[in-house]
Amino acid sequence: MKTQLQANKIAAGRVLVVDDHQAARESIADVLRHTGHQVECRGSAREALRVLQDDAFDVVVTDLQMPGMSGLEFIQHVQRQRMGVQMVMVTAHATVASAVEAMRHGAFDYIEKPFDVEQLEQRVNQALERGRLLDRGLAWNSSGGGQSPVMIGSSVPMRQLRDRIAQVAPTSETVLISGESGTGKELVAHSIHAASRRAASPLVGLNCPVLSAQLMESELFGHERGAFTGADAPRTGRFELADGGTILLDEISEIDLGVQAKLLRVLQEMAFERVGSSKTIRIDVRVLATTNRDLLTEIRESRFRQDLYFRLAVVPIQVPPLRQRPSDVIELVDYFLRRAAERLSREPAQLRSSAAELLVDYHWPGNIRELENLITRACVLCQGEPISADDLRPWLIDADGNSPSHETSVPVGLSLEEMEKKLIVATLEHFDGHRAKTAQALGIGLRTLSGKLKAYGYAPRTKSFAHAEC
């Protein structure tokens, strides 16, 4: 039986396993050696730091709960010393919060105990590949949990976008990335960071629309214990975590005006105070920001500060919508077909010429994200026969926001988020409520799937679903 490493054809790497329990670390080491990796073990974080100072490793697999120096402290040391190694954590369910905190400090991912062999192999392989992509100046597509080229498409707009990224990336200038939802603005940001001189340092992201003004200020700048109700412990903010690297402010137009003023000061002075503190913290951070809104319109409507706009738009980049580069559609379709086939462990689905023509002519209101969701759904639900235009047409929306088919399951005026929800629920029900198979088919993590279902308030249609999660 082929291992996950062999199946993915990922070259072996050097892995350091750190755990104070000998049996646990040797068990992990045996699994990774069996898949071809060169593995060394250490019984403490301090021993591991000494090894990392003298020798180069690709990936570190570390326990979080260790005497002396904890796994979280270990992660922070590695990040501060810019060792350029990918960190994967092993944690019990009770310490998942600590694992998430470690990821804020630059760790790649974590594995909950108990885990199986394939899960361990997959996390290590993904971490190894991420490091190699960064070494080659390529972007890591974190949303998909795997690798992708910097950009897919050979159209003139895409060649111009790649040229602009190549010009901008080596500098430390602030970049404002504009474009419609689903065009790949975050991937552009990751590409800029990965091709920059800060690539070995963290890229720390913040999704601005999901936070209130108070939480936004705390997330950006951190807070001291007792700074506000519920601040039971001090917190390190995203700017501080990104020191020496890059911060990505996703959909920055959603930030409250009061926080915008404080953000302006950080961009001007590269200094800030945590909430509840008078101590000034100075940082060296490159700022990338994305927006799907016209910020000049937002300024006229008094929803965005003009002075902040000029600080952000030092180098503006406009990401073209998919409808402006129809010649790239088939390239993207081929890529998404291959990805879906890998996740579903089957041969790539075939596309009839009628389906290809339909996709090229479609106006793509949801852009690349809509295309990826559509191809994923087709691969999951249209098994056996090649995908036809009739298979796809019910899932499309016409230029007026209406369904082109009376038999469609897509409501009129469906938003991108609603389309994603519909795809996730349809795929889950196709697999009879089996969450692990659903996550694999969709190319997302099981934690991500569970979080989305919880946000949807999704309740299985039949009692059997409740017993079929994994």
Side-chain angles (χ1 to χ4, degrees), residues 214-215 217-219 221-236 274-277:
Q214 184 184 62
L215 290 177
E217 189 172 354
S218 173
E219 282 291 330
F221 312 125
H223 64 249
E224 297 297 338
R225 181 179 180 182
F228 50 83
T229 302
D232 299 325
R235 184 184 185 89
T236 302
R274 290 183 178 181
V275 179
S277 173

Side-chain angles (χ1 to χ4, degrees), residues 81 91 107 131 165 169 246 248 255 403:
Q81 295 178 29
T91 176
I165 290 172
T246 306
L248 170 59
I255 292 181
S403 161

Side-chain angles (χ1 to χ4, degrees), residues 350-357 385-389 391:
Q350 300 298 310
L351 205 68
R352 295 190 187 278
S353 58
S354 62
E357 292 173 5
E385 294 296 320
I387 300 168
S388 69
D391 293 325

Side-chain angles (χ1 to χ4, degrees), residues 141 143-144 148-155 157-158 161-162 165 177-188 191 318-337 339 343 359 362-377 396 416-417 419-420 423 442:
N141 184 357
S143 63
S148 72
V150 177
M151 291 291 155
I152 294 175
S154 53
S155 63
M158 288 308 296
L161 180 59
R162 282 193 292 269
I165 290 172
I177 305 165
S178 303
E180 297 175 9
S181 293
T183 52
K185 299 186 294 296
E186 185 179 357
L187 182 55
V188 171
S191 301
Q318 184 73 33
V319 183
L322 186 54
R323 63 181 173 276
Q324 290 182 4
R325 49 188 189 104
S327 61
D328 292 335
V329 169
I330 299 304
E331 287 184 57
L332 287 161
V333 167
D334 288 341
Y335 173 69
F336 292 138
L337 286 172
R339 283 188 61 185
R343 295 195 300 269
L359 295 179
Y362 183 55
H363 63 289
W364 297 112
N367 291 294
I368 298 172
R369 195 180 305 155
E370 181 186 4
L371 174 59
E372 182 175 14
N373 286 348
L374 182 75
I375 296 302
T376 300
R377 177 187 287 188
L396 303 180
L416 195 58
E417 290 74 17
M419 290 168 65
E420 180 184 69
L423 172 62
L442 293 171

Side-chain angles (χ1 to χ4, degrees), residues 52-349:
L52 290 172
Q53 287 169 351
D54 298 330
D55 205 351
F57 286 82
D58 300 302
V59 179
V60 172
V61 179
T62 178
D63 193 22
L64 268 184
Q65 293 186 320
M66 296 184 290
M69 179 185 292
S70 70
L72 180 56
E73 292 170 327
F74 179 34
I75 298 284
Q76 292 170 322
H77 274 280
V78 169
Q79 194 61 51
R80 282 197 297 268
Q81 295 178 29
R82 310 281 191 264
M83 291 180 171
V85 63
Q86 301 300 312
M87 308 291 290
V88 175
M89 296 155 292
V90 178
T91 176
H93 177 72
T95 57
V96 167
S98 298
V100 173
E101 181 68 12
M103 291 178 69
R104 287 164 49 84
H105 287 271
F108 170 69
D109 207 343
Y110 69 89
I111 309 172
E112 281 188 63
K113 299 176 183 176
F115 54 85
D116 58 31
V117 169
E118 289 187 358
Q119 188 180 22
L120 173 64
E121 290 179 13
Q122 182 185 53
R123 292 294 193 279
V124 171
N125 293 343
Q126 288 176 343
L128 180 64
E129 186 64 11
R130 179 181 190 260
R132 289 172 178 167
L133 284 167
L134 292 178
D135 288 343
R136 298 201 303 268
L138 297 178
W140 174 258
N141 184 357
S142 59
S143 63
Q147 73 178 89
S148 72
V150 177
M151 291 291 155
I152 294 175
S154 53
S155 63
V156 171
M158 288 308 296
R159 291 201 300 270
Q160 293 173 339
L161 180 59
R162 282 193 292 269
D163 289 344
R164 179 59 63 90
I165 290 172
Q167 289 177 317
V168 170
T171 75
S172 291
E173 300 302 330
T174 302
V175 181
L176 178 62
I177 305 165
S178 303
E180 297 175 9
S181 293
T183 52
K185 299 186 294 296
E186 185 179 357
L187 182 55
V188 171
H190 278 258
S191 301
I192 292 171
H193 173 74
S196 73
R197 289 188 284 268
R198 298 172 181 255
S201 299
L203 171 61
V204 177
L206 180 63
N207 187 15
C208 299
V210 303
L211 299 172
S212 65
Q214 184 184 62
L215 290 177
M216 173 66 70
E217 189 172 354
S218 173
E219 282 291 330
L220 287 172
F221 312 125
H223 64 249
E224 297 297 338
R225 181 179 180 182
F228 50 83
T229 302
D232 299 325
R235 184 184 185 89
T236 302
R238 302 296 176 99
F239 270 102
E240 198 170 345
L241 290 175
D243 190 23
T246 306
I247 189 167
L248 170 59
L249 303 175
D250 197 21
E251 303 303 350
I252 196 169
S253 61
E254 308 305 313
I255 292 181
D256 181 82
L257 282 169
V259 181
Q260 288 182 29
K262 296 181 179 181
L263 180 58
L264 176 63
R265 183 216 166 186
V266 177
L267 295 180
Q268 291 172 331
E269 303 177 13
M270 281 292 141
F272 62 91
E273 291 81 39
R274 290 183 178 181
V275 179
S277 173
S278 59
K279 179 183 177 182
T280 298
I281 299 174
R282 301 199 174 276
I283 50 169
D284 171 25
V285 173
R286 184 183 195 177
V287 178
L288 307 178
T290 72
T291 179
N292 62 5
R293 297 181 184 271
D294 181 348
L295 290 188
L296 295 179
T297 299
E298 296 297 299
I299 291 169
R300 287 194 294 271
E301 299 292 332
S302 300
R303 291 190 294 263
F304 201 82
R305 293 179 61 106
Q306 186 178 54
D307 46 7
L308 178 57
Y309 169 77
F310 288 122
R311 280 286 176 181
L312 290 169
V314 176
V315 181
I317 290 182
Q318 184 73 33
V319 183
L322 186 54
R323 63 181 173 276
Q324 290 182 4
R325 49 188 189 104
S327 61
D328 292 335
V329 169
I330 299 304
E331 287 184 57
L332 287 161
V333 167
D334 288 341
Y335 173 69
F336 292 138
L337 286 172
R338 290 195 303 272
R339 283 188 61 185
E342 290 171 2
R343 295 195 300 269
L344 296 168
S345 299
R346 62 175 70 148
E347 290 298 313

